[in-house]
Amino acid sequence: MNSKPSLALPKIVGQTAATGFQIGVRRTLPISSEGAWTFLTSQEGLKLWLGELPPPAFQVGEAFACAEGISGEFKVVKPFQQLRLRWNKPEWEKPSTLQIRLLAAKNGKTTISFHQENLPDAAAREQMKQQWEEALEKLKEKACLSAEENEGSSVQ
């Protein structure tokens, strides 16, 4: 048996051969896909995952620039289902691709998934992982609060 030592470098978590570094984070929230979309695309929701910016029209080809320096362009817009955008930070040499999906779950709940690829390095991957986890946690807090308020307002 001929066993040669491998010359391949050890694989780093989140690194792919084709798309550089990537990260995926998802949470299931107690709101409908419509409610999740409405909140994500509202001014309050945008602040949680994108930043401060004039309200976009959410049209394919529409460019945006946030006060925080994040810029990009909407590439796919499927209401109540998916956003795909080119997403760039000023310190990055090239933009990444960010995809947000809304997946129907049981009992009227929705799984919100953030997936970002073409990240420059492992440090950027870790930074974005933390950012998307924090955004989803804040979305969860707001969604639960909103759901409770809606329930309370319909009880007479």
Side-chain angles (χ1 to χ4, degrees), residues 18-40:
T19 60
F21 286 85
Q22 65 179 356
I23 184 63
V25 179
R26 61 175 49 202
R27 297 283 181 280
T28 301
L29 306 182
I31 57 175
S32 67
S33 296
E34 292 83 3
W37 177 269
T38 299
F39 186 75
L40 280 170

Side-chain angles (χ1 to χ4, degrees), residues 40-105:
L40 280 170
T41 59
S42 72
Q43 204 60 33
E44 183 181 10
L46 282 168
K47 286 180 196 176
L48 297 178
W49 67 270
L50 193 54
E52 288 280 341
L53 74 159
F58 295 100
Q59 295 180 356
V60 172
E62 179 183 15
F64 63 86
C66 303
E68 297 80 0
I70 297 164
S71 63
E73 179 183 345
F74 291 96
K75 299 305 234 174
V76 174
V77 177
K78 294 181 182 176
F80 313 115
Q81 295 177 11
Q82 176 188 17
L83 287 171
R84 185 176 178 95
L85 45 146
R86 189 171 58 222
W87 196 94
N88 200 16
K89 285 190 162 196
E91 64 269 22
W92 293 355
E93 288 184 27
K94 64 177 189 168
S96 66
T97 299
L98 174 64
Q99 183 164 246
I100 303 169
R101 287 188 169 273
L102 305 177
L103 309 165

Side-chain angles (χ1 to χ4, degrees), residues 27-32 35-36 39 44 48 109-110 112 136-152:
R27 297 283 181 280
T28 301
L29 306 182
I31 57 175
S32 67
F39 186 75
E44 183 181 10
L48 297 178
K109 296 179 181 180
T110 300
I112 300 176
L136 283 169
E137 192 55 39
K138 289 175 185 171
L139 286 166
K140 181 179 177 183
E141 290 169 14
K142 298 284 187 180
C144 289
L145 183 61
S146 177
E148 287 172 8
E149 287 173 353
N150 288 338
E151 265 183 31

Side-chain angles (χ1 to χ4, degrees), residues 107-129:
N107 301 322
K109 296 179 181 180
T110 300
T111 299
I112 300 176
S113 169
F114 283 83
H115 184 267
Q116 193 169 16
E117 58 189 39
N118 294 319
L119 295 167
D121 54 37
R125 178 189 183 273
E126 191 56 38
Q127 178 186 34
M128 297 318 303
K129 177 180 184 237

